[in-house]
Structure formats: C-alpha cells, structure tokens
Amino acid sequence: MLRLREAWGAVWNDFSGTEKALIEGGAGASPYLRGLMRQDPALVADLFNHPPAVFVERLCKSVALAGESSDYDASLGLLRSAKKKAALSIALADLAGAIDEMAVARLLSNFADACVNAALKISAKKYGLDKETDGLCVIAMGKLGAQELNYSSDIDLVIIYDASKMGIGDRHAAKDAAVRVAKDTVAALQNQTADGYVFRTDLRLRPDPGVSALAVSAAAAETYYESYGQNWERMAYIKARANAGDCELGTDFLHALRPFVWRKYLDFAAIEDVVAVKRQIQSAKGGSEIEFAGQDIKLGRGGIREVEFFAQTQQVILGGRNENLRVRSTTAALSALHAAGAITDAQLTDMTEAYGFLRRTEHRLQMINDEQTHKLPTDEKDIERLAVFAGEDSVSQLRERLTTTLKTVRRHYDDLFHDETTEIEQPGPLVFTGVESDSATIETLSAMGFRRPKEISRAIRRWHAGSIRATRSERARNILTSLMAPLLTALSKSNDPDAAFFAFGDFLERLPAGVQVFALLANNIKLFDSLISLMVISPFLGREMSKRVNYVESLLENGPDAPPPELSTYNHDLKSVLSDVESYESALNAVRRWAGEAKFAIAARLAAGVGKADEAAAHFSAIADACIQELTPRAENELAAGAPPAGGGLAVLALGRLGAQEMTAASDIDLMFIYDVGAIQPDSSGILVDTTSYYTRLVRRIVTALSVSTEEGALYDVDMQLRPSGGAGPAAVSFSAFQEYYRRDAWIWECMALSRARVVAGPDALCQRIEQEIDEILRRPRDRKTTADAVNQMRARLLRVKPAAGVWDVKNMLGGLTDVAFIAQFLILTTDYDVDRAPLQTRAALSWLARNEAIDQAAAERLSCAHRIYDSILHMARAGTGGVFIPEESGEALSGRMASLCGADDLGEAEKKLRNLYEKVAQDYQQVLGRLPQANE
C-alpha cells in the first residue's frame, strides 16, 4: 500500500477515511485491483462520485462510440481501456457493499453486451459491409445470455447470419464474409495487446463446432437442432439471448427454436436422458467428500453448477407446458419453479441463498488476480487473504459457511429425480455434455483405469452429438446417456479398459442404427461385462454384431456361457424356422438368419473361453449340414426347368473341413455334386429334358442358395475345386463318371481329399453307393514312393501359392496343420486294411493308423498333440479375427488367450513353443514321406 500512496502523492489525501479503507482493503487483497488503481488515481476518485450503474452506463456509451469509429486499432484500444475501468468500478462497488453479487453479474453482462456489439461493428466495417451488421447477429449463451457473468468470465457466443439480409448477392460470398467477421470479432475481444484484452471468447456452443464454420447460417442452425439437438443444448438455449448486431434476426431465430427448447411433451426417454445427465454430474451415492482448501465451488459437489442444473433440468422438463418457467436467470428460475409448485419453500430459500453466497465468493476469488478460477487456494496465507476479501471474520468462519452451503446444495441436488429403484452407483462425475472435456470427468476416468481419458471423453461426446449413425436419432442418444455409467464401469473391469472402450467404440460406429441395441442393453445391464469381454477378445465378432443386431439380442438372451444345443437338434430347429416360410426368397433369408445366430453363439463360446475347438468344429459342421439338407430340396422345388429324371437323384458330397466335421467360424464349404442317371422326363412343354443339363442347373441353384448374399448377408462361400477335373469339370457329375474319373484320371491329391469326404444329402441308395465307392478308391493298392512323391509335389506347390502369413499361421506353416493332415492322408492311401475305413477327423485317423501299425504310437500321439494345439489356435483366431492371428493388430486379451493355448505366459514364449512344434512335425513328415518339400521346388 505504501507504493500506491507514493504513486498517488497528494491525491491520496483527497480520499475520505472510509474511501481509504476500501482502497487499502481492495489493493491489499488483490494484486490485480492494486495494479489498476496505481495506473489511474483520478479514475478511482471519479468512481466514488458516481453510482456504479451510472458509471458503467457511461462506459457502455463510450464503447458504442468506439464501434462507430473507422480507426480499427484505436477502437481496440478504447475497448480494452474501458474494460479496465469497468472491472475496477464494479469491484470497488462490490467491496463497498453498494451492489450485491447478482448486480455485479448484471453490470458485467451489460458491459460485455456493449463490447460484443462494438467488436462486431468494428469487424464488419473492416470488411466494408454496406449495412454493417444487417444479417449478422450474436447470440449470447450461458452466463452472458442470462446476464450472470462472473468477474473474470469468458463469454459464450453463437454467431449466425442470413445471407439474404447482408447485402451480398452471392450466398457463398456472404458466408465467407460472415466467417471473416466472426473471426475478427473474436480477435477484437480476446487478443492480448499492450492494453490487455476485453473478454475471453468461446464459439464452441455453436451447432456441431467440430465441423461448422465460426459463423453459421440461421437456417442451417435450425436444421441442426431439429435433427441432432441434445438435451444439454436445450438447457443451454434456456439462457440464450440476442445481444449484438441484427437482434431482429436473432430474436426470430430463437423464436424458431422454441419448439426444440420448450417441448410441450417430453417422452420418457427424453426425460430419462435429462435425469441421466444429472446422474452423470453427481458422484457415487454419498458423493465425493466436500473439502475446503482446493475445493472447486463451481464444478465440485454442491457447487454453482449443481444449483444451475437443479433449475435448468426442471425448466426443460416442465417449461414446455408452463411458459412462466421460461426465464433466463437462475434465481428467477428458482422463484418460477417455486411458484409452479415444483420445489418447496426450503429448496427455494436454500438454493437461492446458496447461489448468492457461492457467486459472491466466486467474484472475490477471481478479483484477486483476474483469473478464471473457481478453486479455493490451498496455501494458508492465500486462504486467509480470501477470507478477509470475502468479508468473513476468520478462515474458520469461511470454512464453516462454505462447507454448510455446499452440503445443503448437494442434498437438494441429490434428491432431485431421486428414485432408489433406479439409482445407479457411479465412481465419480461422468459428464459428456458441452463441447470440451470436463476436468472432473477426466479425473474419474483416470481413476477407473483408463489411460487415455481425454480421447475417451472426446469420443463419447461425438456419440452424443449424433456424429455416428447409431446416435443420429434423439431416442438413441437419450438411451445412450443412461447407459454411460454402467457401460464405463463394465469397460473398466477389463484387463485393458482402453482396448475395451475402443473395441466397443468400433462396434458402435459400425452400427447402422442404435435404438434397438441400446434398448436391449438398457434392459440387460448385468450382461454388459460379457458383451464387453467378447468384443475385447474378438473384434471380429464385435463387427459381426454391429452388422446383425439379432446377434446382440441372442447373446443378451442366452449369454456366451450358455450350453450349446445338442448336435442332433439343428435340423429340427431349422425345419421349425422354415415351417411357416412360404416364398423361396424368404427361406433364403430365414436360413441365413438362423445359421448366423447359431454360428455366432458357438464362436462367442470359443471367444469367452467356455467352448473347446473340437466342440465348436462339430457344431459349425452340423449347422452347415442342416443348411445344405434344408436348402437342397427347396432349390430343387424352385427349379422350373422341368421334372427331375425318374429314378435319378442328386447327392451332395462334403469334403475338406466340412467333410471331416472340423469347420471353424470362418470356414468355407468344399462340395461335390454327384447324380444318378434316371429316366428322362419331359418338361411342361413336352420337351425331353437332358439329365446332365437338369442336374447342372440344379447344382447351380443349390450353390446360389448357399452362397448368394441377401439382406441377411451371406451364408457360405462354396468351393467346388475338388470335383473331378476341378474348375474345368462339370458342376454336377454322374455317378458313373465319378467312378471312371477316380479309376483312370484322378490325381493323388484328389484321392487324399476323399479321405475326408462325407455324403451330407441325397437319396439313401445313391449315398450308400457313393460311400462304398469312396471306400474302394481309398483301399486301392498304391506304390508308396510314387504316392509320396505326388504328395510332396502338392505340398511344395501349396508352400509356393499359399505361403504362411507368420508364425501364427498354423495352417500354412511348414510343420503345421496341413503337414499333419498330409501325413495322415498319405498313410491312409498307402495302408492295407480289412474292415472299417479310417475316421474323417485327423486326430481320430492318426489313432486308427497307429492301431493298424501304419505309424508308431509315439509319433501318432506327438502329431495328435500338435494337431490339437494348432486346431485350437486356428479356431480361436477365426473366432477372434476372422482370419490369421496377427499379434501387432490384436489386443492384450486375445494375445493372452493365444499364448495360453500354447501353454505359455506370453507371446514370446508361445512363439518359441510353436516353432519347436513346427520343427518336430516337420521331422515326422520327413520320416514318413522321405523328404521335406520346399517352396522353391
């Protein structure tokens, strides 16, 4: 204070004792006010001669004149000078008790209005707009809109324009001009110069701020709010006010938004969304502890935001039918709610008094250094200074009054919409409204175990803003709001919460629509953990669920750990599904829907770790069998090319993984079609139908029924390369041709394929003849060396055309699944046996070969063990990724599961074990077939 007196000299003696005490108190507690007073002692003297409202009004008039000036730099200087004077005038009036805290807010808001209007005019003049601000309006939002600015508040603005009123013929040019003016208006207000700044300015409350320009056309803004407006935006527009520029345009705009802001009838989902936002803001039941030192009196429990939200939530729900509730200021809203019978006498009194005290404390806190802070200091000396500055007798008195006020607000806020039956526990504040991350929410997410909380908060705000297809409907956004707490809780329980979140995010962003899924989840919150776990371990299944909502429904209904049906029931189930289906197209869709759900359920068991590879293989194969057996006769009935040959028939032969009943979640099906020649029948025109032609068309019809993609997606990829003569051969082959081909022309590898062949559909007599013929083919004597050479040539070719994608490509790696299968198939072709044919499954075939002394028991067990590990990896990879497991592209959960399948603790150890296994199988291959093929052969 001594320096202040010295700077003022004789002027100091002109002040009265009361004035000196006020000056000393303000300057002693606030470095910011002390600096302002030192600069202009005459101003301080002038302030004591005028009521604050008169002085501020005079400043507003000087600011208006600055807006009319053509000297841009001088105008900016005038605005900044006026801001300092206004700040000092209002602060001293507040400290003197001449005005209360809400009068402080109104004076600050009036001055801000004048500055915004001047800045807009200055910027419009800069770009030579003929009628300056015609067609341009600034909408004041938040505290400025409600005329409730705090002492060091920033100001939230939305700048709109109407190209038809701007005097610019081209609408694109009008938009460019509006955006330039908006940009310069912000700069005029907030850029720091030698004279300081006026107001920090935020335009992020405009529609879709991440995409839209700084100025938005009124028509585009209306369309946005009609289509994508959220409940928090409704609440934001409760306070909106046209405060600068073409206010007629702004008033018309706000009038047009009334149906959006004040909905006469809010459905349950919209009300629940408001309630859910309220729940997000509060912490877990009981709340986080209210502290004193370091307490955030705006965002913390029982703070300013909770008073404002207490009023706004009830306004937005009730205001559509009660116009008296459509008021901007918080205290006026509380009074209106009381008059409407929405709040009690005690709530009105407590919340109004609390709001006044908290706002007054906020003003004094910000006056100290002109900082936009809401947190009480933690240093003891700083706390003592604040207590004196706030007019309290002691720190203990400030502590007692503040904590009592915060607890009172918290109690009333927690009671709002309280329902014990629907209360959801939360670990802390989870707020995803607005346009920027909430600091308390970031802390909550970090405490929950998320390592990238800001990214997660940003993603969730995008969802709420309707930027993805799943949340473009208002109802979807409303339901999603209520799901956020249990969803994030479920995600946090994962071993890797971030991976879990982004897996769920990938699922969400792929959904074509969200209401159905969100509604399912809202009614099955307890199954969130299973759903999230499945998405984390299997991004592939997550993508499948996003395509087919019925998969989600099925999962939520049964859970991934539900036991699978008996294998024998699949045919019966599919028959029941098709019993009421009339059209062929409907049948194709019904089969695809049924099969998709059935396959998904088995894949989900695998991913969840409750299903085994052998079990899954049997079920995937049984599902495919049922589809073939039900669609084959329907395709034949649909064929209009003529009557089937009398006494004939068509059999479907499954080969490969389907034949061996070893299918995975992503397997295609290898088929061969064999028909029996019957008597030729005439078609409807009396023309005789050629047997080969008929069955060729029928096969094409069946393949189409199995493979074509419909609105329910695809069923199977059908591979017919294993038929006689491969791709060059006929689609359907007669039984006699089949016999002749395998007697004279078949390659060794084609005979190998028959070791895994199984008839899955067709007339019993024909099926039996085919099975007998296959048995005969496999029994034929073969030269061991010649056969081995042929097998090795085939293996070398596969190594060339299908090289392994990496160490986890267990099918194609040298020493992998293919080599185990080739060993078994080679031995089947070169082993004499008298009774039963070798089993179709590879491991069972190895045991059969050991019993027939074609391979020693130790080798059979070694190969069988390798096959079991490989097959488990293959099944898990297909269920988890839809293809080959690639560690670099997979999360920790799937990687951990893959390592465990190898009996290892981590991927590094697992890969060592795999390489060792490949080496042992390769040695066995070389022992059995004489040499080890190479890709360069």
Side-chain angles (χ1 to χ4, degrees):
M1 281 306 303
L2 181 61
R3 291 183 180 178
L4 182 60
R5 294 176 188 175
E6 291 174 350
W8 282 1
V11 176
W12 175 254
N13 297 321
D14 294 335
F15 293 103
S16 69
T18 302
E19 291 169 345
K20 288 178 180 178
L22 178 61
I23 293 168
E24 287 179 333
S30 168
Y32 174 65
L33 294 181
R34 182 166 66 245
L36 292 180
M37 288 189 283
R38 287 184 64 185
Q39 292 176 19
D40 196 345
L43 171 63
V44 179
D46 193 26
L47 292 177
F48 288 120
N49 295 323
H50 297 89
V54 172
F55 191 83
V56 171
E57 178 61 26
R58 193 171 75 188
L59 288 174
C60 289
K61 289 179 180 178
S62 69
V63 165
L65 291 175
E68 301 296 336
S69 172
S70 57
D71 188 333
Y72 182 78
D73 292 333
S75 296
L76 297 189
L78 285 171
L79 290 181
R80 283 152 176 76
S81 174
K83 170 61 186 298
K84 294 176 184 177
K85 294 176 181 178
L88 182 57
S89 167
I90 294 169
L92 290 177
D94 181 13
L95 295 173
I99 53 176
D100 64 19
E101 61 280 346
M102 298 319 297
V104 170
R106 284 192 296 275
L107 289 177
L108 286 167
S109 301
N110 291 341
F111 178 73
D113 284 348
C115 291
V116 173
N117 199 50
L120 185 68
K121 286 188 174 183
I122 292 168
S123 301
K125 285 178 181 293
K126 180 179 178 182
Y127 291 103
L129 295 183
D130 293 338
K131 298 181 181 179
E132 295 181 355
T133 59
D134 280 4
L136 283 168
C137 180
V138 179
I139 306 295
M141 307 290 288
K143 285 186 166 59
L144 177 56
Q147 296 183 298
E148 295 176 336
L149 279 188
N150 54 51
Y151 191 77
S152 294
S153 182
D154 60 0
I155 55 177
D156 293 295
L157 307 176
V158 173
I159 301 178
I160 62 171
Y161 69 91
D162 184 340
S164 66
K165 294 183 178 181
M166 291 177 62
I168 300 175
D170 182 75
R171 65 184 180 88
H172 297 293
K175 176 183 178 180
D176 291 343
V179 172
R180 289 196 297 271
V181 169
K183 182 178 180 181
D184 274 31
T185 298
V186 172
L189 291 167
Q190 75 173 13
N191 281 6
Q192 189 82 29
T193 71
D195 298 316
Y197 72 101
V198 190
F199 288 98
R200 290 176 293 269
T201 307
D202 195 335
L203 298 183
R204 288 177 295 174
L205 287 181
R206 68 187 186 276
D208 205 0
V211 176
S212 62
L214 295 181
V216 184
S217 77
E222 288 177 33
T223 299
Y224 168 83
Y225 291 119
E226 287 173 2
S227 303
Y228 303 114
Q230 301 175 67
N231 279 320
W232 72 265
E233 290 174 306
R234 284 193 176 89
M235 288 184 274
Y237 269 91
I238 290 174
K239 296 178 179 289
R241 175 174 59 88
N243 79 323
D246 188 346
C247 287
E248 181 180 355
L249 169 64
T251 301
D252 290 343
F253 169 71
L254 293 176
H255 186 273
L257 287 190
R258 282 183 183 177
F260 163 67
V261 180
W262 305 110
R263 289 175 58 178
K264 192 170 184 180
Y265 300 104
L266 282 175
D267 61 23
F268 175 79
I271 294 174
E272 178 58 25
D273 180 60
V274 175
V275 176
V277 173
K278 178 257 180 185
R279 289 197 194 108
Q280 287 179 355
I281 288 177
Q282 74 189 72
S283 299
K285 190 175 180 181
S288 55
E289 291 300 318
I290 289 175
E291 306 290 345
F292 176 65
Q295 177 72 28
D296 190 323
I297 62 172
K298 176 183 178 182
L299 303 179
R301 291 308 321 272
I304 292 168
R305 180 174 63 177
E306 289 191 357
V307 180
E308 294 172 339
F309 204 80
F310 178 88
Q312 290 167 4
T313 51
Q314 297 183 84
Q315 282 181 282
V316 79
I317 290 174
L318 303 173
R321 286 171 288 174
N322 187 342
E323 293 189 11
N324 294 328
L325 297 178
R326 302 176 188 181
V327 292
R328 295 190 183 95
S329 84
T330 302
T331 53
L334 290 169
S335 296
L337 287 165
H338 178 260
I343 64 175
T344 65
D345 294 347
Q347 287 173 322
L348 172 64
T349 301
D350 290 348
M351 296 300 255
T352 302
E353 290 181 356
Y355 192 65
F357 172 70
L358 292 172
R359 290 303 306 272
R360 181 163 62 256
T361 306
E362 179 185 48
H363 287 319
R364 301 298 170 85
L365 190 60
Q366 294 181 349
M367 281 179 192
I368 295 173
N369 288 307
D370 187 30
E371 292 177 336
Q372 192 185 10
T373 182
H374 307 282
K375 289 187 176 181
L376 271 62
T378 54
D379 181 80
E380 289 185 12
K381 291 184 178 180
D382 290 337
I383 293 176
E384 289 176 4
R385 177 172 62 179
L386 176 63
V388 173
F389 202 31
E392 304 293 343
D393 294 336
S394 64
V395 170
S396 61
Q397 186 179 59
L398 176 62
R399 178 186 289 107
E400 174 63 25
R401 187 172 181 186
L402 182 68
T403 53
T404 300
T405 298
L406 296 175
K407 288 178 181 178
T408 299
V409 172
R410 182 178 69 180
R411 185 180 74 254
H412 289 312
Y413 182 80
D414 287 352
D415 287 341
L416 181 64
F417 310 130
H418 181 73
D419 182 351
E420 289 288 352
T421 63
T422 60
E423 195 69 21
I424 297 173
E425 293 286 340
Q426 289 188 189
L430 291 169
V431 182
F432 303 105
T433 59
V435 294
E436 61 181 359
S437 294
D438 175 74
S439 58
T441 298
I442 298 302
E443 292 177 6
T444 300
L445 292 172
S446 295
M448 293 174 77
F450 294 100
R451 298 188 305 275
R452 297 151 67 185
K454 291 184 178 178
E455 290 181 53
I456 290 169
S457 175
R458 188 160 53 245
I460 295 173
R461 292 201 316 278
R462 282 183 58 245
W463 299 348
H464 283 303
S467 61
I468 60 175
R469 289 179 299 173
T471 60
R472 284 183 184 161
S473 76
E474 181 183 10
R475 179 166 173 76
R477 295 193 294 274
N478 290 342
I479 302 174
L480 180 62
T481 303
S482 67
L483 290 174
M484 288 318 304
L487 169 63
L488 288 168
T489 300
L491 292 168
S492 70
K493 295 176 182 177
S494 169
N495 291 334
D496 187 343
D498 291 76
F501 175 84
F502 290 108
F504 181 81
D506 181 66
F507 160 75
L508 206 62
E509 299 204 8
R510 292 173 183 272
L511 280 176
V515 171
Q516 185 179 354
V517 173
F518 298 156
L520 285 170
L521 297 178
N523 291 317
N524 294 273
I525 286 177
K526 291 182 179 178
L527 287 174
F528 255 142
D529 292 349
S530 296
L531 179 68
I532 299 306
S533 176
L534 183 61
M535 289 178 179
V536 171
I537 196 96
S538 176
F540 169 69
L541 293 182
R543 291 191 292 271
E544 291 299 299
M545 283 190 286
S546 68
K547 298 175 191 173
R548 305 287 165 208
V549 176
N550 54 302
Y551 294 0
V552 182
E553 186 174 3
S554 174
L555 178 70
L556 294 179
E557 181 178 344
N558 302 308
D561 54 352
E566 294 293 329
L567 292 173
S568 59
T569 64
Y570 282 118
N571 281 83
H572 180 268
D573 289 346
L574 184 52
K575 283 182 186 295
S576 297
V577 167
L578 294 172
S579 61
D580 295 327
V581 176
E582 296 182 358
S583 72
Y584 182 65
E585 290 73 16
S586 296
L588 296 186
N589 279 318
V591 171
R592 279 153 177 75
R593 187 179 180 89
W594 173 85
E597 290 182 7
K599 289 190 289 183
F600 178 82
I602 301 304
R605 282 178 55 80
L606 266 177
V610 295
K612 302 298 183 183
D614 288 352
E615 173 195 76
H619 281 272
F620 288 134
S621 302
I623 293 165
D625 285 354
C627 293
I628 293 169
Q629 289 159 9
E630 290 304 316
L631 284 176
T632 295
R634 286 180 178 267
E636 188 166 9
N637 292 337
E638 186 68 13
L639 189 63
L650 180 73
V652 182
L653 184 66
L655 301 107
R657 282 194 164 267
L658 175 58
Q661 296 174 303
E662 294 179 341
M663 287 188 70
T664 70
S667 290
D668 58 8
I669 54 177
D670 295 287
L671 300 179
M672 185 187 302
F673 295 90
I674 304 170
Y675 65 87
D676 200 6
V677 177
I680 298 175
Q681 299 289 311
D683 65 11
S684 57
S685 303
I687 300 173
L688 294 179
V689 179
D690 176 71
T691 303
T692 302
S693 176
Y694 170 82
Y695 283 117
T696 298
R697 288 195 292 272
L698 176 57
V699 167
R700 288 172 181 165
R701 175 73 66 173
I702 295 170
V703 170
T704 299
L706 290 168
S707 62
V708 69
S709 183
T710 71
E711 62 191 57
E712 289 291 341
L715 186 57
Y716 293 104
D717 286 332
V718 178
D719 191 337
M720 296 175 61
Q721 292 297 314
L722 293 178
R723 70 186 188 271
S725 300
V733 61
S734 69
F735 179 73
S736 59
F738 173 78
Q739 286 180 307
E740 184 67 17
Y741 181 81
Y742 278 93
R743 286 173 182 169
R744 297 179 54 184
D745 301 320
W747 296 80
I748 288 296
W749 64 265
E750 291 178 299
C751 296
M752 291 166 62
L754 290 183
S755 69
R756 290 152 61 89
R758 177 173 59 92
V759 182
V760 296
D764 290 343
L766 177 59
C767 293
Q768 186 175 357
R769 291 170 65 196
I770 293 171
E771 291 284 1
Q772 289 173 348
E773 184 62 27
I774 291 173
D775 190 43
E776 287 294 327
I777 295 169
L778 297 176
R779 285 175 181 272
R780 287 173 191 159
R782 294 175 177 85
D783 178 72
R784 188 179 182 90
K785 183 178 184 309
T786 302
T787 303
D789 288 343
V791 173
N792 287 330
Q793 289 172 12
M794 185 62 188
R795 185 66 184 108
R797 180 173 180 274
L798 288 176
L799 288 171
R800 288 196 305 273
V801 300
K802 291 184 178 181
V807 69
W808 290 95
D809 188 354
V810 293
K811 179 180 178 181
N812 295 312
M813 278 289 291
L814 185 61
L817 265 176
T818 298
D819 292 294
V820 178
F822 272 29
I823 291 171
Q825 291 164 21
F826 164 75
L827 291 174
I828 289 171
L829 292 184
T830 56
T831 298
D832 292 329
Y833 60 95
D834 297 325
V835 284
D836 295 334
R837 174 183 157 192
L840 301 174
Q841 293 84 9
T842 302
R843 292 200 296 279
L846 288 167
S847 296
W848 179 89
L849 289 164
R851 289 196 304 272
N852 281 275
E853 299 181 351
I855 188 173
D856 68 75
Q857 188 66 37
E861 290 177 358
R862 188 166 55 245
L863 289 168
S864 187
C865 178
H867 188 278
R868 181 177 291 105
I869 293 172
Y870 294 156
D871 212 36
S872 296
I873 291 171
L874 182 70
H875 273 278
M876 192 65 227
R878 297 286 173 84
T881 70
V884 176
F885 170 66
I886 301 175
E888 298 78 14
E889 298 176 4
S890 303
E892 291 182 13
L894 181 57
S895 296
R897 182 69 56 78
M898 286 303 210
S900 68
L901 293 176
C902 298
D905 294 329
D906 56 56
L907 288 181
E909 182 186 356
E911 290 179 3
K912 287 180 181 177
K913 289 192 171 187
L914 272 179
R915 289 192 175 92
N916 184 52
L917 207 54
Y918 292 142
E919 185 176 338
K920 289 181 178 179
V921 170
Q923 290 171 356
D924 283 328
Y925 183 100
Q926 187 170 9
Q927 179 68 30
V928 172
L929 282 102
R931 66 184 182 85
L932 196 63
Q934 300 296 324
N936 58 3
E937 290 183 20

